[in-house]
Amino acid sequence: KAQAISVSPETTEEHQSSEDGASAEEEEDEEESDDEGWITPSNLKQVQQDTGHCDTAPAGVQVGCVTTDFAMQNVLLQMGLHVLAVNGMLIRQARSYILRCHGCFKTTSDMTKVFCPHCGNKTLKKVAVSVSDDGSLHMHFSRNPKVLNPRGLRYPLPAPKGGKHANNPHLVEDQPFPQQRLSRKARQKTNVFDPDYIAGVSPFAENDIYSRAANLQIRDAALGAGRRRLNPNAVTKKFVKRR
């Protein structure tokens, strides 16, 4: 019951030609996409020039500094020196930072400030600024909402403590703090001409181990006070729980 199917040679040729045409179109599309989308060693320089990240040195520059550290590049650009990059890793605009109060919106260039010099609150945030060609100052704010996150700011303050070794939170700029001085026994200088002098390595030497300063491990190496390690190069074990 097998039926013989006669296939004309014309239909086979048409089918083969259609398949060949489809495969040729696919190959052409792939070649076009490769030429447009992929970066090859032949078009690498052109792509870098189009994107503005070419590491070619500017004309007329005899001496330049090569570094991949962005902080160092920022400093070099602010000093007016020529900076060269490796593989296009170069910042294009030098930025400096100032402190801006998000309470009274005043700014200060003193980066050591903790409290706002205008309103006195602890609301200073670091903001990047750039100077344009006309001398105007532009501030670049972060869109991250965590920059002004008030988490941890609403909590009851502990009662203020007094004494020579009090540890109170820093609330205002002119807040007085204890001097954290040593005890009288720890401040005693060694008198080698004393007839009752005992060497420091002797087991009978008096050490300050019971005072509040000794418990807080307050040391003053300039006065020669406190207990020193006999061998400062000795290896000590870290992350060991003390009893």
Side-chain angles (χ1 to χ4, degrees), residues 58-90:
V61 176
Q62 297 180 356
V63 179
C65 300
V66 180
T67 177
T68 56
D69 188 1
F70 293 138
M72 187 64 66
Q73 290 180 8
N74 195 358
V75 174
L76 292 173
L77 288 177
Q78 290 179 359
M79 293 173 63
L81 300 177
H82 296 285
V83 182
L84 302 179
V86 179
N87 297 329
M89 304 294 290
L90 177 65

Side-chain angles (χ1 to χ4, degrees), residues 5 21 50 90 95-96 146 149 155 160 177 180 182 190 234-235:
I5 301 175
D50 295 339
L90 177 65
R95 287 186 180 180
S96 58
K146 293 184 179 180
N149 187 12
Y155 56 90
F177 282 95
Q180 303 290 351
L182 297 172
T190 304
V235 179

Side-chain angles (χ1 to χ4, degrees), residues 188-206 224 228:
Q188 289 178 354
K189 294 183 179 180
T190 304
N191 186 11
V192 295
F193 300 103
D194 189 4
D196 297 332
Y197 168 73
I198 301 176
V201 295
S202 173
F204 301 102
E206 294 184 357
R228 290 191 181 91

Side-chain angles (χ1 to χ4, degrees), residues 37-125:
W38 292 93
I39 299 176
T40 59
S42 59
N43 63 350
L44 177 61
K45 294 294 183 181
Q46 184 64 31
V47 172
Q48 288 181 348
Q49 291 178 1
D50 295 339
T51 56
H53 292 281
C54 187
D55 55 354
T56 58
V61 176
Q62 297 180 356
V63 179
C65 300
V66 180
T67 177
T68 56
D69 188 1
F70 293 138
M72 187 64 66
Q73 290 180 8
N74 195 358
V75 174
L76 292 173
L77 288 177
Q78 290 179 359
M79 293 173 63
L81 300 177
H82 296 285
V83 182
L84 302 179
V86 179
N87 297 329
M89 304 294 290
L90 177 65
I91 57 177
R92 299 300 172 184
Q93 186 178 10
R95 287 186 180 180
S96 58
Y97 294 92
I98 62 173
L99 293 177
R100 178 178 178 270
C101 177
H102 62 269
C104 63
F105 308 110
K106 298 292 183 179
T107 59
T108 177
S109 59
D110 189 0
M111 301 301 293
T112 60
K113 290 287 185 181
V114 179
F115 298 89
C116 177
H118 184 262
C119 65
N121 295 322
K122 196 176 182 180
T123 52
L124 292 177
K125 294 293 181 181

